[in-house]
């Protein structure tokens, strides 16, 4: 009925196995909840080899509802498989996975993040999906390049659910109010000039954007345009102190009071919203799948966003790339590899699942899944955007090194400190290199 | 408001009135000042909570934009959404889960901590000093570094996704805070009290149950209040040990409206966490009434 | 355990022993059988705690002490590196900053919070009628757990044109919002801790309830004023509870985590001003997977707080008065 080594039984099973007062409580609260017991009880009545899979993802209540629908479909198709799903917010999700990884209890199937892929793969925690590719997991819908994203050290350990690319969101409604035309494209200098124009035209009420040197991705875009990686396959950085200092210096005019970018003080005050989400800035460089979140933050008075390519560093360079915004992976310790692979296939390929999710998990990586979606509004914009930047899309860089997440966060924190003026560019550079030293050598 | 009247304790000593009589009006003035001062403090302290209450009527898009008290466009949508539950799990389920855990934990804490405290405060046995130091020592280590080893232990015991890892430790007095609190209160009880009982032939068990426990009632009430409220609000332990969403207690459920990687519904978050306050507020209201002088502190002259 | 704590505790424990052969033993009992009985009773009452201590607490603690001498990324087995983690702390500017702001938080926050708690508790103890309403009101802020709501409401209070800014402006202090002001974030966090002063307040109240009323009545008859009553009755009678609150609030303040983590969205910002000791420790442990370093940080804190606790226990001999230990 359920995995012997874990006790994540379905609710009924839990009620039976949990002793004392808990039993009473679980039973009494069990009886009158058709929705939960309905979705969990699918495998109970079926014959054949019954299998229970644990499945974990991160997201909010909205995404959980979508997964519930998708899993209900899956269980309809495979009545012998029961899927117990669990979900948390992103940081909690990873804290729990870290603990489970140490304690030997990862769930069978996981939604996965690119930045943790190398760490989990290299430590043998993820199942080699090679034997399942083309069997349980159909690969026809994926391009070679996209499938290659989930390969670490020659082994496929994850399948991309969706892709995203770096882009620039603009707020046309806000721009109209200020009376400045949308950014027409151009160099980083052009972009800075445009930001200043917006900020000036609004009389300081609204800013053209945020100091983009606080985001490591913008640095990466520039490095790639110059033919370098942010980090190479062997874990060495593709830049030196001078280059990083130059990058941070270049943001000087966007920082501080009366600058062209929104001040760090203001950003702190509206946190957890972003300047763009709070309708205080007219542009934001970010991953293209963040648009839905911005629309949600902006509220009903804003209905559309602009989505354009980031500024150009070197004309004709392949500085952008598609990365998986999410992947699915299977734990190496699963007892039900084949069934887990079937679930992964269903969640990455099925057009019905695509129809349920739309672009909630990002632009689907599999063409099969995309076929199930009628793109409209922002979804269509994102789809069209990733097509439109085709001539700037290069090969994806190596799978992020172990600890990339910490470095990305350190970069962001140093960016905010530059904004506050509590650290000089030189100090920030040496702090970042000190952190790299620790991360790369541990 | 009915609570106000009932708080008056049975131990109000009659001699007090005698002393007051000549200064009757001064007492009234004092009371008036007392009332005004406390009201002023209360207003300051409660304002943020009032703000929180008002913000449950704000639309999600007002968060971060309207920092004022009054919603621009009052709505009940947040309540509607919260009562719909999360991903098929109804909201009352989270409340029930939290209540089960908190009640069991409170019961366990009171039982085990008072026993340990009695041993530390009143029994002179071999090793008491070492163990007392060890107990204080357990307070000093930030718990984050023991999360993983404890997880591994409970995983080996097969207790993951049950409430045992949340409740069992409470029956084993692992929260030194409560043990130490009760020790301090017990040491404030004059020894004559239990010595008298011992002379009458009572053993430690009887001294403990019929002398000591009634005498430290304020400490027990305090511990019950804290244990219940802190367990109700505990986030990290359930995060580690509970996997099934239908077993989540409230603190985890409250965070499920937020996802930094997609969208966050702050309106629903604030509303849910405000509703989650109500049971513990009621708990406090009920139990603080017992926060009165211990049965025997009067009639005791040092 | 560090060696300082046991001695500290024994020092206070022995007070009882010094002054009193604990009980006047019933006549027919021999010294030995009494010892045996006391030991049996002691371990009997302590059984749940002993099981919990040896079964649940001790092993993880010792393990974390071991980890503090290793490089351990959670995924691969720990590697022994001696004192490297401890040495690294002194060269880590982020760590040193976290020590600094945590120390300020403790030194400033704890006295204010305890003074507020004691003051309000005494006001509430002044009379019982109506106190229930006030007690509940003052405790209410402490009911909010580590929820995002705390971050939302506290940020709103201290934002530009928020109530705090407005109030200060009314008095002519135009300092703007605190949230985005690097210099004012720490005071803002301290005020949050003070706002949630309900726990020590309730403990003080419980302590005040244990002070025999006769003492005040006797003092009244002697014509003692309120200040003398406070100094010669309230404080001594309350000293055990004051000691408890002081020690526990210090320990708690050193380990401040949830409020800072939530308000800064886990970043410890702005500019590291909410990157308290345990917040940084947590990030090192779980975000960066440097469990060895985090464990070393944890044990460095244990040593410092243990020394403080030792000193407190030592000085407590001079000012803490236990009714049950004397006479």
């Amino acid at each position: 009925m359920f995995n012997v080594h874990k006790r994540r039984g379905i609710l009924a099973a839990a009620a039976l196995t949990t002793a004392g007062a808990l039993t009473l409580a679980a039973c009494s609260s069990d009886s009158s909840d058709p929705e939960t017991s309905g979705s969990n009880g699918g495998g109970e009545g079926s014959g054949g080899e019954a299998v229970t899979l644990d499945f974990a993802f991160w997201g909010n209540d909205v995404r959980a509802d979508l997964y519930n629908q998708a899993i209900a479909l899956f269980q309809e198709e495979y009545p012998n498989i029961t899927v117990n799903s669990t979900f948390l917010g992103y940081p909690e999700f990873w804290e729990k996975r870290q603990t489970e990884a140490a304690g030997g209890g990862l769930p069978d199937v996981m939604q996965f993040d690119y930045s943790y892929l190398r760490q989990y793969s290299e430590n043998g925690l993820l199942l080699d999906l090679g034997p399942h590719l083309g069997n349980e997991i159909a690969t026809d819908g994926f391009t070679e390049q996209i499938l290659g994203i989930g390969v670490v050290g020659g082994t496929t350990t994850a399948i991309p659910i969706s892709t995203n690319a770096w882009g620039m969101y603009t707020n046309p409604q806000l721009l109209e109010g200020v009376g400045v035309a949308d950014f027409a494209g151009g160099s980083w200098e052009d972009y800075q000039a445009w930001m200043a124009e917006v900020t000036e035209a609004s009389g300081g009420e609204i800013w053209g954007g945020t100091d983009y040197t606080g985001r490591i991705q913008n640095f990466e875009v520039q490095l790639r345009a110059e033919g370098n990686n942010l980090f190479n396959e062997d874990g060495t950085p593709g830049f030196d102190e001078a280059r990083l200092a130059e990058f941070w210096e270049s943001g000087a005019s966007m920082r501080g009071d009366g600058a062209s970018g929104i001040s760090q003080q203001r950003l702190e005050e509206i946190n957890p919203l972003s300047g763009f989400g709070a309708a205080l800035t007219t542009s934001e460089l970010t991953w293209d799948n963040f648009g839905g979140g911005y629309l949600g933050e902006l509220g009903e008075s804003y209905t559309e966003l602009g989505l354009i390519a980031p500024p150009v560093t070197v004309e004709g360079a392949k500085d952008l790339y598609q990365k998986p915004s999410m992947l699915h992976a299977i734990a190496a310790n699963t007892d039900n590899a084949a069934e887990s692979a079937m679930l992964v296939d269903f969640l990455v390929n099925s057009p019905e699942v695509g129809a349920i999710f739309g672009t909630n998990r990002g632009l689907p990586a599999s063409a099969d899944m995309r076929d199930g979606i009628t793109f409209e509004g922002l979804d269509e914009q994102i789809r069209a955007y990733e097509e439109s930047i085709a001539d700037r899309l290069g090969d994806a860089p190596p799978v992020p090194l172990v600890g990339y997440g910490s470095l990305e966060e350190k970069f962001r924190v140093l960016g905010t400190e530059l904004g506050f003026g509590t650290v000089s560019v030189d100090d920030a550079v040496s702090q970042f290199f000190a952190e790299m030293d620790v991360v790369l050598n541990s | 408001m009915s609570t106000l009247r009932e708080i008056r304790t049975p131990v109000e000593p009659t001699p007090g009135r005698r002393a007051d009589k000549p200064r009757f009006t001064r007492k009234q003035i004092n009371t008036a000042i007392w009332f005004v001062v406390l009201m002023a403090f209360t207003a300051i302290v409660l304002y943020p909570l009032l703000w929180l209450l008002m913000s449950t009527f704000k639309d999600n898009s007002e968060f971060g934009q309207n920092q004022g008290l009054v919603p621009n466009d009052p709505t009940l949508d947040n309540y509607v959404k919260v009562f719909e539950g999360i991903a098929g799990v109804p909201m009352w389920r989270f409340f029930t889960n939290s209540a089960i855990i908190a009640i069991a934990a409170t019961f366990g804490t009171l039982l085990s901590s008072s026993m340990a405290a009695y041993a530390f405060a009143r029994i002179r046995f071999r090793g008491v000093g070492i163990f007392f130091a060890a107990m204080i020592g357990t307070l000093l280590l930030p718990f984050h570094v023991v999360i993983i080893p404890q997880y591994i232990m409970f995983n080996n015991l097969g207790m993951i996704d049950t409430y045992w890892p949340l409740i069992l430790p409470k029956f084993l007095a692992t929260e030194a805070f409560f043990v130490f609190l009760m020790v301090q209160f017990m040491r404030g009880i004059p020894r004559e009290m239990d010595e008298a009982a011992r002379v009458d032939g009572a053993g430690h068990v009887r001294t403990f149950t019929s002398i000591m426990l009634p005498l430290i009632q304020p400490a027990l009430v305090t511990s019950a209040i804290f244990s219940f409220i802190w367990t109700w609000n505990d986030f990290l332990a359930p995060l580690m040990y509970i996997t099934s969403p239908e077993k989540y207690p409230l603190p985890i459920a409250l965070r499920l409206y937020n996802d930094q990687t997609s969208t966050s519904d702050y309106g629903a978050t604030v509303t849910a966490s405000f509703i989650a306050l109500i049971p513990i507020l009621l708990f406090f209201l009920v139990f603080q009434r017992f926060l009165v002088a211990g049965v025997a502190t009067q009639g005791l002259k040092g | 355990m560090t060696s300082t704590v046991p001695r500290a505790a024994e020092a206070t424990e022995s007070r009882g022993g010094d002054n009193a052969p604990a009980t006047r033993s019933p006549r027919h009992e021999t010294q030995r059988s009494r010892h045996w009985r006391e030991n049996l009773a002691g371990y009997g009452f302590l059984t749940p705690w002993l099981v919990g201590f040896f079964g649940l607490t001790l092993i993880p603690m010792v393990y974390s002490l071991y980890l503090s001498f290793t490089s351990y990324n959670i995924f691969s087995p720990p590697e022994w590196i001696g004192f490297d983690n401890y040495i690294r702390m002194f060269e880590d500017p982020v760590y040193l900053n976290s020590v600094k702001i945590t120390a300020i938080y403790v030194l400033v926050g704890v006295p204010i919070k305890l003074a507020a708690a004691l003051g309000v508790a005494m006001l509430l103890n002044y009379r019982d009628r109506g106190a229930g309403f006030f007690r509940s009101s003052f405790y209410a802020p402490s009911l909010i757990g580590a929820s995002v709501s705390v971050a939302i409401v506290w940020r709103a209070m201290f934002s530009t044109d928020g109530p705090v800014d407005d109030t200060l402006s009314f008095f002519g202090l135009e300092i703007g919002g605190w949230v985005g002001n690097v210099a004012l974030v720490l005071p803002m966090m301290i005020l949050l801790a003070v706002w949630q002063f309900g726990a020590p307040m309730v403990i003080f109240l419980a302590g005040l309830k244990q002070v025999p009323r006769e003492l005040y009545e006797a003092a009244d008859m002697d014509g003692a004023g309120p200040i003398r009553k406070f100094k010669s009755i309230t404080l001594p009678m309350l000293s055990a509870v004051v000691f408890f609150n002081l020690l526990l609030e210090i320990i708690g303040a050193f380990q401040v985590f949830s409020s800072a983590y939530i308000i800064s969205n886990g970043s410890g910002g702005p500019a590291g001003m909410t990157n308290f000791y345990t917040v940084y420790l947590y990030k090192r442990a779980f975000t960066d997977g440097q469990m060895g370093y985090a464990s070393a940080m944890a044990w460095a804190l244990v040593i410092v707080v243990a020394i403080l606790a030792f000193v407190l226990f030592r000085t407590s001999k001079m000012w803490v008065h236990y009714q049950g230990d004397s006479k």
Side-chain angles (χ1 to χ4, degrees):
Chain A
M1 188 72 236
F2 53 97
N3 290 350
V4 199
H5 68 291
K6 282 169 219 147
R7 298 257 302 257
R8 288 173 204 142
I10 57 170
L11 201 65
L16 286 173
T17 50
T18 314
L22 302 184
T23 316
L24 277 171
C27 282
S28 64
S29 56
D30 197 15
S31 51
S32 55
D33 183 16
E35 221 176 324
T36 324
S37 38
S39 64
N40 279 330
E44 260 178 292
S46 64
E49 203 193 336
V51 165
T52 297
L53 298 178
D54 293 323
F55 168 57
F57 61 93
W58 71 84
N60 57 8
D61 54 324
V62 176
R63 181 174 295 157
D65 273 329
L66 301 177
Y67 265 119
N68 274 356
Q69 294 173 35
I71 284 165
L73 271 186
F74 177 76
Q75 294 187 143
E76 231 166 75
E77 201 161 314
Y78 304 94
N80 63 316
I81 304 178
T82 305
V83 179
N84 287 333
S85 58
T86 178
F87 75 108
L88 291 165
Y90 183 84
E92 294 89 22
F93 176 93
W94 285 108
E95 183 183 342
K96 186 155 175 143
R97 298 290 92 75
Q98 303 273 73
T99 309
E100 287 173 345
L106 285 174
D108 300 289
V109 179
M110 291 164 277
Q111 186 177 299
F112 224 80
D113 189 77
Y114 199 36
S115 61
Y116 286 92
L117 188 59
R118 182 180 291 273
Q119 194 174 23
Y120 280 66
S121 299
E122 286 182 350
N123 286 290
L125 291 161
L126 300 182
L127 190 73
D128 176 5
L129 298 179
H132 302 284
L133 295 181
N135 296 315
E136 287 92 351
I137 303 174
T139 52
D140 320 336
F142 296 92
T143 65
E144 198 76 1
Q145 191 260 340
I146 285 175
L147 211 51
I149 289 171
V151 178
V152 180
T155 310
T156 304
T157 50
I159 305 289
I161 300 171
S162 53
T163 57
N164 56 7
W166 200 244
M168 187 200 288
Y169 275 104
T170 57
N171 189 330
Q173 204 171 321
L174 218 47
L175 282 169
E176 205 182 288
V178 183
V180 178
D182 208 337
F183 180 52
S187 67
W188 295 94
E189 288 76 23
D190 296 338
Y191 176 49
Q192 288 199 19
W194 177 82
M195 271 172 67
E197 191 190 337
V198 173
T199 309
E200 205 167 313
S202 77
E205 295 284 301
I206 282 167
W207 290 268
T210 308
D211 172 16
Y212 58 78
T213 61
R215 299 287 299 268
I216 202 168
Q217 286 81 6
N218 291 314
F219 189 41
E220 181 176 31
V221 167
Q222 294 192 3
L223 290 175
R224 281 172 62 92
E226 293 157 7
N228 296 312
N229 279 321
L230 186 60
F231 292 104
N232 303 311
E233 177 70 40
D234 61 1
T236 53
F239 57 96
D240 57 11
E241 278 102 332
R243 182 64 186 88
L244 181 55
E246 183 197 328
F247 179 68
W248 271 332
E249 299 285 6
S250 75
S253 73
M254 297 180 286
R255 292 194 281 264
D257 284 335
S260 57
I262 183 169
S263 74
Q264 196 58 47
Q265 278 85 340
R266 200 82 186 86
L267 284 175
E268 259 327 305
E269 292 210 346
I270 55 169
N271 178 298
L273 297 190
S274 62
F276 192 76
L280 290 172
T281 64
T282 58
S283 70
E284 178 87 7
L285 282 151
T286 188
W287 296 108
D288 60 10
N289 56 324
F290 274 60
Y294 288 139
L295 277 182
E297 289 179 352
L298 286 164
E300 282 161 12
S301 39
Y302 296 89
T303 49
E304 55 163 344
L305 298 176
L307 176 55
I308 52 179
V312 177
T313 319
V314 176
E315 210 59 59
K318 298 218 178 279
D319 52 352
L320 303 180
Y321 63 92
Q322 279 181 307
K323 85 167 185 55
S325 64
M326 282 174 209
L327 308 96
H328 273 309
I330 300 175
N333 64 4
T334 179
D335 291 336
N336 304 296
E339 287 82 2
S340 297
M342 284 150 75
L343 177 60
V344 168
D345 174 63
F346 193 77
L347 291 175
V348 299
N349 278 322
S350 157
E352 289 91 356
V353 173
I356 290 169
F357 277 100
T359 55
N360 179 283
R361 299 183 298 172
L363 184 71
S366 154
D368 293 347
M369 182 172 272
R370 283 201 300 274
D371 287 345
I373 305 176
T374 334
F375 291 95
E376 50 194 18
L378 187 63
D379 293 350
E380 170 57 20
Q381 248 179 307
I382 295 170
R383 197 197 57 77
Y385 170 70
E386 289 197 21
E387 259 179 31
S388 74
I389 54 170
D391 55 339
R392 277 178 74 178
L393 284 178
D395 285 337
V399 176
L401 57 141
V402 176
Y404 173 76
S406 333
L407 290 177
E408 185 185 346
E409 171 68 4
K410 182 78 184 174
F411 198 95
R412 194 193 64 77
V413 167
L414 287 170
T416 64
E417 294 208 30
L418 287 169
F420 278 118
T422 50
V423 72
S424 68
V425 167
D426 287 345
D427 285 347
V429 169
S430 64
Q431 276 195 42
F432 189 74
F433 272 78
E435 187 68 21
M436 279 203 308
D437 214 36
V438 171
V439 168
L440 302 181
N441 296 326
S442 71
Chain B
M1 286 294 115
S2 68
T3 50
L4 300 188
R5 231 162 297 125
E6 285 156 32
I7 288 155
R8 192 174 184 86
T9 67
V11 294
E12 186 79 3
T14 37
R17 217 173 290 153
R18 207 189 314 143
D20 286 340
K21 241 174 196 163
R23 294 178 260 166
F24 187 71
T25 46
R26 189 167 155 204
K27 170 106 183 172
Q28 273 190 326
I29 294 167
N30 282 348
T31 304
I33 295 172
W34 176 83
F35 188 79
V36 169
V37 168
L38 279 179
M39 273 315 265
F41 278 144
T42 309
I44 296 171
V45 161
L46 286 189
Y47 183 81
L49 292 181
L50 177 69
W51 189 93
L52 202 59
L53 173 64
M54 296 299 281
S55 67
T56 62
F57 302 106
K58 287 179 182 169
D59 182 75
N60 186 43
S61 61
E62 283 190 41
F63 284 86
Q65 315 221 29
N66 172 15
Q67 301 285 45
L69 183 67
V70 185
N72 293 338
D73 187 12
T75 166
L76 284 174
D77 288 356
N78 295 326
Y79 287 90
V80 173
K81 177 166 182 185
V82 166
F83 283 110
E84 277 170 1
I86 300 172
V89 183
M91 193 41 80
W92 61 261
R93 170 69 61 81
F94 299 124
F95 277 85
T96 315
N97 294 340
S98 281
I100 293 168
I101 301 169
I103 291 170
T106 305
F107 183 67
T109 299
L110 287 185
L111 187 72
S112 62
S113 303
S114 60
M115 284 174 66
Y118 183 76
F120 284 129
R122 278 300 199 259
I123 308 178
R124 310 242 57 86
F125 59 99
R126 238 168 203 290
V128 61
I130 293 286
F131 287 133
F132 184 79
M135 182 209 42
I136 297 294
T138 61
L139 281 169
L140 307 182
L141 189 69
F143 60 94
H144 299 107
V145 291
V146 298
I147 289 174
I148 287 180
Q150 276 183 346
Y151 173 87
I152 294 172
M153 287 168 59
F154 282 114
N155 193 22
N156 289 339
L157 291 170
M159 290 181 175
I160 301 303
D161 206 24
T162 73
Y163 292 149
W164 287 116
L166 311 180
I167 294 172
L168 189 64
K170 315 281 174 162
F171 277 88
L172 300 174
T174 49
E175 277 183 277
F177 180 93
F178 294 112
V179 181
F180 187 35
L181 178 71
M182 293 186 202
V183 167
Q184 290 302 87
F185 274 82
M186 286 183 185
R187 294 174 76 181
I189 303 293
R191 268 185 197 269
E192 290 86 343
M193 295 300 294
D194 38 330
E195 271 168 38
R198 303 295 297 281
V199 170
D200 289 348
H204 277 299
V205 174
R206 250 189 61 204
T207 312
F208 171 67
T209 52
S210 51
I211 307 284
M212 198 49 96
L213 286 186
L215 281 179
I216 60 158
Q217 185 193 325
L220 292 177
V221 172
T222 306
S223 300
I225 290 173
F226 291 168
S227 177
F228 189 89
I229 290 168
W230 293 348
T231 312
W232 183 274
N233 283 332
D234 186 18
F235 172 74
L236 210 55
L239 171 67
M240 287 299 122
Y241 299 117
I242 307 299
T243 309
S244 310
E246 61 274 10
K247 291 184 195 164
Y248 281 167
L250 277 165
I252 297 193
L254 295 183
R255 297 203 192 187
L256 299 180
Y257 295 108
N258 296 312
D259 180 30
Q260 288 142 327
T261 59
S262 56
T263 52
S264 293
D265 189 337
Y266 301 109
T269 304
V270 168
T271 306
S273 56
F274 203 86
I275 298 172
L277 284 183
I278 295 170
I280 42 176
L281 184 62
L282 291 177
F283 186 90
F284 185 85
L285 277 170
V286 169
F287 272 76
Q288 58 90 21
R289 291 193 205 175
F290 300 106
L291 207 62
V292 293
V295 201
T297 40
Q298 89 279 20
L300 244 195
K301 294 236 159 121
Chain C
M1 250 75 337
T2 62
S3 60
T4 47
V5 185
R7 271 188 280 122
E10 270 168 330
T12 47
E13 276 303 306
S14 65
R15 274 174 59 92
D18 290 343
N19 301 333
T23 48
R24 259 174 275 147
S25 58
R27 264 151 286 161
H28 307 295
E29 235 175 6
T30 66
Q31 186 88 336
R32 251 182 85 187
S33 84
R34 210 191 71 219
H35 274 304
W36 188 83
R37 257 192 33 190
E38 289 291 293
N39 279 339
L40 186 73
Y43 285 99
F45 273 94
L46 212 55
T47 300
W49 182 85
L50 286 170
V51 172
F53 178 70
F54 286 106
L56 295 176
T57 315
L58 187 63
I59 297 166
M61 278 181 84
V62 172
Y63 187 61
S64 76
L65 180 60
Y66 159 71
L67 287 182
S68 74
F69 296 102
T70 66
S71 168
Y72 176 47
N73 67 5
I74 300 181
F75 293 91
S76 31
E79 239 176 89
W80 186 268
I81 54 168
F83 281 91
D84 285 7
N85 286 326
Y86 290 90
I87 294 163
R88 182 180 153 199
M89 282 188 265
F90 291 97
E91 295 157 357
D92 179 350
V94 182
Y95 173 80
L96 295 175
N97 178 60
S98 82
V99 170
K100 194 179 92 188
I101 63 163
T102 308
I104 296 173
Y105 182 82
V106 173
L107 284 174
V108 179
V110 170
I112 299 179
K113 185 177 181 181
L114 286 181
L118 181 58
V120 171
M122 290 186 56
L123 273 177
L124 291 181
N125 199 45
Y126 170 73
R127 58 182 247 147
D128 283 325
R129 277 189 78 177
F133 165 76
F134 288 122
R135 264 183 223 167
S136 308
S137 304
F138 287 122
Y139 193 81
S142 312
L143 293 171
I144 309 183
S147 125
V148 184
S149 303
V150 173
I152 292 173
V153 69
W154 212 245
R155 285 177 160 278
M157 292 302 111
F158 289 89
S159 60
T160 306
D161 296 329
V164 174
D165 183 27
D166 283 351
T167 311
L168 291 177
S169 302
F170 179 79
F171 291 106
L173 265 169
E174 303 275 355
I175 50 175
W178 295 33
V179 181
N181 187 332
V182 177
L184 290 176
V185 171
L186 191 51
M188 179 182 94
M189 294 306 298
I190 291 173
L191 284 178
L192 175 58
V194 174
W195 183 54
Q196 298 187 318
F197 71 109
M201 178 197 77
V202 168
I203 295 171
F204 278 133
L205 257 177
L208 287 168
K209 294 294 172 200
Q210 265 199 346
V211 180
R213 298 219 170 202
E214 289 83 348
L215 294 178
Y216 291 113
E217 285 152 20
D220 277 337
M221 287 191 225
D222 291 349
I227 293 171
R228 230 191 83 199
K229 277 194 279 186
F230 175 74
K231 273 175 70 179
S232 57
I233 302 176
T234 311
L235 265 189
M237 294 304 285
L238 208 58
S239 58
V241 172
V242 173
F243 177 61
F244 175 86
N245 270 337
L246 182 64
L247 183 65
L248 269 293
E249 286 300 326
I250 288 176
I251 294 173
F254 269 112
Q255 296 182 9
V256 55
F257 175 74
S258 301
S259 58
Y261 188 82
I262 284 169
I263 284 204
S264 70
N265 219 338
S267 72
M273 294 312 286
T274 59
N275 201 18
F276 292 109
Y277 201 100
T278 318
V279 174
Y280 185 50
L281 183 158
Y282 174 87
K283 282 196 289 180
R284 280 305 187 194
F286 285 95
T287 315
D288 304 347
Q290 298 172 18
M291 192 54 88
Y293 188 44
S295 299
M297 287 172 60
W299 279 93
L301 182 67
V302 169
I303 293 167
V304 171
V305 183
I307 292 171
L308 270 174
F310 172 77
V311 172
L312 266 179
F313 268 105
R314 266 296 154 98
T315 59
S316 75
K317 277 177 127 179
M318 292 183 277
W319 60 274
V320 179
H321 168 86
Y322 293 106
Q323 273 226 304
D325 285 357
S326 54
K327 275 180 275 180

